[in-house]
Amino acid sequence: MFSRRSFVGSAGVVAAAATASAVSKVAMAALPEPVIQIKPDTMPPLAPSTGRPYNPVVTLNGWTLPWRMNNGVKEFHLVAEPVVREMAPGFKAHLWGYNGQSPGPTIEVVEGDRVRIFVTNKLGELTSVHWHGQRLPNGMDGVTGLTQPGIPPGKTFVYEFVARRPGTFMYHPHADEMVQMAMGMMGFWVTHPKDKHPLIEEVDRDFCFLLASYDIDPGSATPKIMTMLDFNLWSWNSRIFPGIDPLVVRHMDKVRIRVGNLTMTNHPIHLHGHEFLITGTDGGPTPKSTRQYEVTADVAVGQMRQLDFLADEEGDWAFHCHKSHHTMNAMGHNVPTMIGVDHRDVARQITRLIPDYMVMGERGMKDMTEMEMPLPDNTAPMMAGQGPFGAVGMGGMFSVVKVRKDQKPGDYRDPGWYQHPPGTVAYEFTGSLPDPARFKAESAGAMPPVTRPAQDVEVKVRKPSAGHAGH
Ligand SMILES: [Cu+2]
């Protein structure tokens, strides 16, 4: 029964599950009512009130799917359907997902749980759900044509298996392969250990998100599903910075972050100010002998990584994909590099003809974050996000881990910007600058210089504007 948490009254829930008192014996014989969530807020962790206890996860800009117990079986209901996902404030994408959102809700169970998942297909084509990383009967593996017929539009299929091993998993279709994941069909799955586990430490905060990429032209809303490499939106849980919530933790919390990659390239996920251990993959907990401290974890395509760290440094710590093109949004792609090109004269002449004409990026691209650019409707700015010291100049796969002494246990609310103790912020040097030493030493070195050309050769590099593949 949906007894442990009523969604009624919580923001954004349009079709709340029946409350405990409303579930009749007749209803219990039928499939559970689907729970729908449409707001992109990070919902508080869903503490279990039935079954074995565990410390629930927090899904960044997402939520956990409630279940009901039916004769010792945990029953969930997923609805595959078209959804509108706000990827960032002012930018909504038309995606496919589950239960009102892309990604779908996180499913949390305990090792040894018997699980039954009803999957209703409200798409216009057949689908299936593959339970990535699970040990299960072959016929429950969700590969259309291979292990089951596809679920036709309007039909509901039932998956049943025992969650045999604890770990970090995900779910996604194996149907119309190229289209359905490119449209956002995916969700997180966490199987908690049933007892104390020698390789799974108990943590205070446990976050999860999926990496997904989209190709949505500025001014449009539907991803181009034929794109193979040249995606322009790099998202965590189908959100892009500054639309990704911060990961708020209490100073000295043990923190776990679980990441799964359903894009078509790898993502080196990088945390500032702390070191973490990779304590698990979708293959399960990692042996202790393999663990070493890292600050970047490369998450390859189709992989999941579980990062554990002690949040022992207060502050607002950047947390992002280390591929620089993955921390920008759509407008940064397919524009020529104009650094060092002085086109003031040209611009003056063009603005006589086109008053809105703008010159972009003469001194680098950062200027663009401060401009009020005229953008097409429904377009995410290339790089946005305003920090306490100005524009952050990033988009895409970027967020902030906020470590605070006065954050209460279980409180995930944004505490605002970090108040730096006096004297701990980088500051401007205001003395006189000596000549750089390297000019005096120009002709020194291990070998004498060869004859120099009469004139220095200047090379201008300009990136071709067409094609942006391979990043
Ligand atoms: Cu990346």
Side-chain angles (χ1 to χ4, degrees), residues 234 265-269 321-323 326 397:
W234 301 94
T265 188
N266 62 310
H267 299 278
I269 300 297
C321 175
H322 216 294
K323 286 187 175 176
H326 294 182
M397 294 177 161

Side-chain angles (χ1 to χ4, degrees), residues 211 234-236 261 263 265-269 298-299 320-327 397 471:
L211 309 170
W234 301 94
S235 75
W236 291 358
N261 181 2
T263 74
T265 188
N266 62 310
H267 299 278
I269 300 297
D298 196 26
V299 188
H320 60 96
C321 175
H322 216 294
K323 286 187 175 176
S324 52
H325 280 208
H326 294 182
T327 54
M397 294 177 161
H471 67 267

